[in-house]
Amino acid sequence: MRRIVMGAMALFCAQFLAPAAFSASLVASVSLSSQTMTVEQDGVVVYEWKVSTARSGYSTPTGNWRAKWLSRDHRSRKYDNAPMPFAVFYNGGYAVHATFETKRLGRPASHGCIRLHPENAATFFSLASRHGVSNTRIVVSR
């Protein structure tokens, strides 16, 4: 009898508790006005970083997207093979990725992507990898 009860409890836990771990959400909220990105994991703020978004003549679109794909060592086909390490793509060719122009973080400087310090980009890339692209959202607001 004890085995049956223990087996039923194990089955219950596997059915109802395990999916909660897989449905964890990661949200990166980017503010164009403050040039910051706040990262929330399961509704709890875990990071806030300076970013660089589109400079004059370019645009970073506002909206809410799921991440589409990841590329650890991406290079831009559009902008002279420019490095885009730790890229998390979310809207066509737009991505959150590392920049080596760290002195420009905190003010507009990109062609439209969201640039982060390399360490922060690596952290975000790792989180997006762990959570999965379908559980990672990028929200860009004015």
Side-chain angles (χ1 to χ4, degrees), residues 21-45:
F22 293 113
S23 66
S25 62
L26 181 67
V27 179
S29 299
V30 177
S31 167
L32 298 178
S33 61
S34 68
Q35 292 291 292
T36 58
M37 181 168 102
T38 303
V39 180
E40 293 180 38
Q41 193 170 262
D42 297 322
V44 177
V45 173

Side-chain angles (χ1 to χ4, degrees), residues 112-135:
C113 285
I114 299 163
R115 296 178 177 178
L116 288 168
H117 187 282
E119 291 175 7
N120 299 338
T123 298
F124 183 62
F125 183 90
S126 176
L127 288 169
S129 296
R130 269 195 317 232
H131 285 267
V133 291
S134 64
N135 293 318

